[in-house]
Amino acid sequence: MRQCEVYLHNICAGVLTEEDNREYVFTYDKSYLSDEGNPPVSLTLPLREEPYRSPYLFSTFFNMLSEGENRQIQSQLLRIDAEDDFGILLATCQHDTVGAITVKPIV
């Protein structure tokens, strides 16, 4: 199981988990939900207490990943399988992402 904290505008919005069965779970942080001024991380993941589950990496996070040659170069340089979406997300989306979302691996 691998996990990361998901930040929106440098505020911890929740936790994204890749479970051992390759199911993905996103859960909003309770303190994030308690502030009514906080927006959802995406229109496809509206604010709610119940976790979101998917057999695929949620499009919000998948769309943060490089494609094509850039992805191949990243996977070679980082020594991560090019098909390991979650691994590449953890390795490349901690800083300077396009958009307001960043992730921090939980070790």
Side-chain angles (χ1 to χ4, degrees):
M1 179 172 72
R2 298 185 286 182
Q3 292 185 307
C4 63
E5 291 178 322
V6 175
Y7 288 80
L8 182 62
H9 300 291
N10 296 318
I11 299 169
C12 184
V15 173
L16 177 63
T17 303
E18 179 190 52
E19 295 184 339
D20 293 334
N21 62 358
R22 302 281 287 177
E23 182 176 51
Y24 297 93
V25 180
F26 176 71
T27 307
Y28 278 102
D29 185 89
K30 290 190 187 311
S31 63
Y32 188 83
L33 289 172
S34 69
D35 184 341
E36 292 182 16
N38 286 333
V41 296
S42 139
L43 294 176
T44 60
L45 297 169
L47 297 172
R48 72 178 196 188
E49 288 187 24
E50 300 81 28
Y52 287 92
R53 297 184 170 279
S54 173
Y56 306 101
L57 185 59
F58 299 96
S59 61
T60 301
F61 306 111
F62 183 80
N63 290 332
M64 295 172 65
L65 304 176
S66 295
E67 298 175 332
E69 273 189 50
N70 286 341
R71 186 180 179 112
Q72 292 301 319
I73 291 168
Q74 281 179 334
S75 69
Q76 288 173 353
L77 292 173
L78 297 169
R79 297 190 172 124
I80 299 172
D81 184 338
E83 300 301 314
D84 183 1
D85 296 334
F86 201 81
I88 292 174
L89 180 79
L90 294 177
T92 63
C93 296
Q94 296 182 43
H95 311 285
D96 299 325
T97 59
V98 175
I101 298 173
T102 55
V103 300
K104 307 277 188 248
I106 298 173
V107 278

